[in-house]
Amino acid sequence: MTTSAFDIAILGAGPVGRVLALMLAREAPDPARIALVQGAAPGAVPPAAADPRVLAMNQGSRVLLESLHAWPERSADIRHIHVSQRGRLGRTLIQAADFGVPQLGSVVPYAGLHAHLEARVAASGVTVLSGPPARIDVQDADGIEIVQGDSRLRCRVAVQSDGAGAPDVRREYGQHAVLATVRAALPRPGWAWERFTPEGPLALLPHPQQADACSVVWCSAPARAAELAGLDDAAFSRALTEAFGDRLGRLHALAPRHVFPLALSARRAQVQGRTVAIGNAAQTLHPVAGQGLNLGLRDAARLAQALAPWLLAPQASPAPALDEFAGARQFDRYLTAGITDLMPRVFATRLAPVEHACGLALLALDLSAGLRAPLARHLLQGFRA
Ligand SMILES: Cc1cc2nc3c(=O)[nH]c(=O)nc-3n(C[C@H](O)[C@H](O)[C@H](O)COP(=O)(O)OP(=O)(O)OC[C@H]3O[C@@H](n4cnc5c(N)ncnc54)[C@H](O)[C@@H]3O)c2cc1C
């Protein structure tokens, strides 16, 4: 068994781990002393390069990724977001013009983002260690030992960015997400739609690679999701058009469909000794409102900021930097997890008074910019301490 030593080891090379690696590489006197440990979770399907997810990125995430030269060349802007409830009155429209910005966000393919980040990391000087799934073995007062296959590495700080979530807080939504691509008879470029149905939220986003298409994230009970995924294209198109309504005319399914199980899982504490969890490893959220990666990128950016001074003298204890990080991130994590946990549950109660109240809330949000702006601003920009 070989052993190597690093200042920081990042376990998990998804978008959050890679962004952290790039940000730390800019601060570190010797980027090679940062290890990015790349390996798939046991049985992980699909691989990152073929991941079918599309991701709605807010403006803050876009600025961050552009500053790292990692923004994919193909993306679709969101200039209008329409939120409604199936079968009930009330809707809210959020427009880029309300905020004086050119777009509210942009949609990128997970696989395209992964490819860009992979190329940037390869050029960054960070040590990339590829192999089987890695795990933390021992943590003592001075450091941490990580095992990956036949290799063992020692580091002063270990960052868990393996997307694996945690059992501290867990909620099963009884929902799976069906991902699909559809073409609309009446396309409206720049529009994103979030429609709450009793089965679960249904989102249509501008497709990042096909101007006249939409990416669909349709949440429903697991059995219904399996049924939807197994329909032929014509039957799926009919079911989707019926659930979404006629705002885009008839919808035609284009591509294979994929199913993702959904659950909330979160750690109460991001930091334990010299170990810190970020991104989905710290909190895996329901995809409603497209917040998971945006939140994870804010974790990565804040952690890099906190660790930058320590990287100049890594013999010192990292505890003050990690404590500062944990304190700074708490409010944003709780608020974002709270909003994305509440939304899919409250709209799916199937209780008429609650559904009416939700409709009124959407109406109130639509009528009052004063109510709409703070919620929209949080979802579009997030909280940065
Ligand atoms: C259907 C759906 C739609 C979504 N839409 C949006 C959206 O619009 N906007 C948004 O912001 N977020 C969205 N999300 C959430 C977003 O995909 C995640 O928040 C994001 O991918 C988290 O990134 P991560 O790097 O933390 O974890 P991951 O993307 O899960 O990456 C973790 C990496 O670590 C690797 N790994 C796992 N175990 C190990 C191990 N033991 N050793 C080494 N490596 C390991 C994995 O193979 C993987 O490459 C969506 C999620 C879903 C399911």
Side-chain angles (χ1 to χ4, degrees), residues 18 29 59 134 136 144 150 202 215 222 243-244 253 294 306 337 368:
R18 286 184 190 278
Q59 192 58 17
I136 291 176
I144 293 169
D150 289 338
L202 164 61
S215 297
F244 179 70
N294 290 297
S368 165

Side-chain angles (χ1 to χ4, degrees), residues 348-381:
T349 57
R350 296 178 193 261
L351 297 172
V354 178
E355 288 178 359
H356 279 305
C358 290
L360 286 176
L362 289 177
L363 189 64
L365 285 171
D366 197 52
L367 293 174
S368 165
L371 287 178
R372 195 169 63 237
L375 177 65
R377 197 162 277 127
H378 180 76
L379 295 178
L380 300 172
Q381 296 171 349

Side-chain angles (χ1 to χ4, degrees), residues 22-383:
L22 289 174
M23 296 193 78
L24 291 174
R26 293 200 300 203
E27 307 292 342
D30 179 5
R33 291 196 54 77
I34 297 162
L36 179 64
V37 185
Q38 178 173 279
V45 186
D51 195 299
R53 272 174 282 186
V54 298
L55 303 162
M57 299 278 79
N58 66 29
Q59 192 58 17
S61 298
R62 180 170 183 157
V63 169
L64 172 64
L65 290 163
E66 283 179 344
S67 76
L68 298 169
H69 305 288
W71 186 252
E73 67 273 5
R74 300 186 80 168
S75 63
D77 290 343
I78 299 173
R79 291 184 295 278
H80 319 270
I81 301 176
H82 185 282
V83 186
S84 63
Q85 192 183 189
R86 188 180 177 197
R88 299 278 175 201
L89 289 176
R91 63 94 160 121
T92 287
L93 185 58
I94 302 167
Q95 314 234 50
D98 296 346
F99 295 88
V101 293
Q103 71 266 332
L104 295 166
S106 313
V107 185
V108 298
Y110 184 108
L113 178 60
H114 170 81
H116 271 68
L117 287 168
E118 191 172 36
R120 298 305 307 161
V121 169
S124 68
V126 165
T127 304
V128 179
L129 302 170
S130 301
R135 64 177 170 82
I136 291 176
D137 191 29
V138 184
Q139 174 162 195
D140 56 41
D142 301 324
I144 293 169
E145 287 192 17
I146 292 168
V147 176
Q148 186 182 35
D150 289 338
S151 304
R152 179 173 282 273
L153 67 94
R154 190 164 172 84
C155 59
R156 301 175 197 270
V157 170
V159 181
Q160 285 184 283
S161 53
D162 56 14
D168 293 358
V169 178
R170 189 159 177 93
R171 188 192 304 284
E172 299 295 339
Y173 291 108
Q175 289 179 7
H176 286 184
V178 178
L179 272 54
T181 302
V182 297
R183 189 163 282 142
L186 304 170
R188 293 172 79 171
W191 283 72
W193 312 83
E194 185 86 65
R195 189 155 174 75
F196 290 94
T197 79
E199 295 175 311
L202 164 61
L204 269 71
L205 303 171
H207 194 282
Q209 285 150 323
Q210 301 178 50
D212 58 347
C214 297
S215 297
V216 176
V217 183
W218 189 356
C219 304
S220 60
R224 173 69 173 150
E227 184 192 347
L228 289 170
L231 292 176
D232 64 37
D233 287 353
F236 180 82
S237 303
R238 276 196 304 276
L240 180 63
T241 306
E242 192 194 328
F244 179 70
D246 57 6
R247 288 191 171 91
L248 295 174
R250 191 178 285 272
L251 301 167
H252 298 275
L254 288 182
R257 291 178 280 282
H258 305 268
V259 178
F260 280 76
L262 306 177
L264 166 74
S265 72
R267 282 169 207 267
R268 289 210 170 77
Q270 274 183 291
V271 173
Q272 282 185 321
R274 288 171 175 262
T275 304
V276 49
I278 61 172
N280 271 31
Q283 63 273 319
T284 301
L285 309 181
H286 192 291
V288 67
Q291 292 299 304
L293 181 54
N294 290 297
L295 183 65
L297 294 182
R298 298 199 289 276
D299 281 347
R302 194 62 185 80
L303 183 58
Q305 185 188 336
L307 286 173
W310 174 81
L311 273 170
L312 304 176
Q315 307 79 0
S317 165
L322 296 181
D323 287 348
E324 185 214 324
F325 161 77
R329 293 300 302 138
Q330 201 167 356
F331 179 73
D332 187 19
R333 293 180 70 222
Y334 284 16
L335 183 62
T336 310
I339 292 171
T340 58
D341 180 43
L342 192 64
M343 276 192 190
R345 291 190 298 123
V346 80
F347 279 97
T349 57
R350 296 178 193 261
L351 297 172
V354 178
E355 288 178 359
H356 279 305
C358 290
L360 286 176
L362 289 177
L363 189 64
L365 285 171
D366 197 52
L367 293 174
S368 165
L371 287 178
R372 195 169 63 237
L375 177 65
R377 197 162 277 127
H378 180 76
L379 295 178
L380 300 172
Q381 296 171 349
F383 176 83

